[in-house]
Amino acid sequence: MSLKLKAVAGAKWTTLSMMVVTIAQLSQLAILARLLSPKVFGSMAIMMVVIGFAQAFMDMGISNAIIHRQKISHSQLSSLYWLNIASGGILAGLMLLLSPFIASFYDEPSIQKPLMLLSSVFLVIAIGNQFKILCQKEMQFDRIAKVDMTAAISALAVAVWAAMQGYGVYALVLAMLMQAGASSFLYLMVGLKTLHTPSFMFKHSELSAFYRFGFFQMGERSINYVSAHIDKLIIGKLLGMQAVGFYNMAWQLIIFPLAKINPVIVSVAFPVYAKVQSDSNSLNRYYGLTVRVLSLVSVPLLAFLSFFSQDVVLLVFGDGWQVAADLIAILALVGILKALGNPGGAILLAQGYANIGFWWNIFWAIAVIVGVYAALVIRPDVMTVPWVLLGLSLTIGWIWHYLIAKVAKISYRAILGHFAKVIIFSFIITWLASLVVSLMTIGHVFFRLLAAGGICLALYIPYLFYFEKEVIHQCRKGQK
């Protein structure tokens, strides 16, 4: 099978996985939002930020180097595997030690024990992480999809059972451990059978090139994670767990289009970029297609969320989440701008420029920390935060695209023109849908959203077939 056909087939499998995982996780949110309080979700959000930040250090940033380097020896893979296991064990131990201090910093002793339990996730993930990377490198997206779907459904079952048993925040903790455990075990089984069996060896001298790549990748991941989640840490410290609970749940709905749809494309695109990294014309074609597909899927969904945030939150979370609905209306605009920039990191990594993403994320993290902290000191209201993020995205956020265009030699004129066209059309049809629905007498929120969604689809599908024929053709057949 050619590279083009592998990419298209991979996108189909990853799309199926995304749909199943999204339904499972959205169901988990919807059910647990009716069983747990905003404060519980706020506590879990803080713990997940801490865990997620530490995960950036788990494999020393070397996982993507495995994809970037086209030839890797058995001894190198074995050494990298045991390095990953050792890093996971060390991070688990550090988190156990730091848990009391983190709980004290937020004046929330109730998060200490759950955080200690969550620390085991580092070692669990490390066991199967390399095999997932190898599946991605070999573009075996069917296996990745099957594992991810199984893990998500297992986590849903555990979360609902634990919440109904009255376990509180532990319902969320156990769900995460189940998802990580199921995923890691299945990748281990697949990897040992078909990909690679690590030998009991560790040759530090063979990993120098991986360390150089991994240092900047590790730094970029950690700083990127800080910049993406520092707002939650600041809100938790200045406004409390309930405020961060509302804010995090709002972001959960926003990132469903971004965190579920974007990886469908980017996870397929990264190995493709790596294989054609020396061909500037091919990079431009693939990158342009990546951004176009992401915009055609993400922008309409986020525009719909912005206009219908009140009804969406009432349907998904139930009563008591009004603050989250107000936040979503603005955060959706931030999400649209993020969708344009997300594929840039993959193309820089594919060309070996991990250092550029590292320094950019330091700059962006500083901007977010200063902006959010200063704004909350002046106006201590959780609604302040999305406006700060939107302002930063509209001003200094464009520097990221300049770096991609300059370093990776990507032509942005056609990309920006297409992105602007999709934004304008998406907001027009969503506005028309909201206007029509407001004139109709529809009592139940589900039927209001169903009517609005039907109107949007009735207007958007013809647009796709008349104005986006080229993109649709490339997704079906691969680029010529």
Side-chain angles (χ1 to χ4, degrees), residues 275-294:
K275 291 181 184 296
V276 298
Q277 58 188 276
S278 59
D279 186 343
S280 179
N281 290 331
S282 294
L283 277 175
N284 266 278
R285 289 199 305 272
Y286 281 114
Y287 186 75
L289 178 61
T290 301
V291 177
R292 283 175 171 82
V293 172
L294 285 174

Side-chain angles (χ1 to χ4, degrees), residues 10 69 190 224 273 308 311 416 423 461 467:
R69 291 174 65 91
V190 169
N224 185 39
Y273 295 157
F308 294 97
D311 284 343
L416 290 177
I423 289 177
I461 290 176
F467 298 101

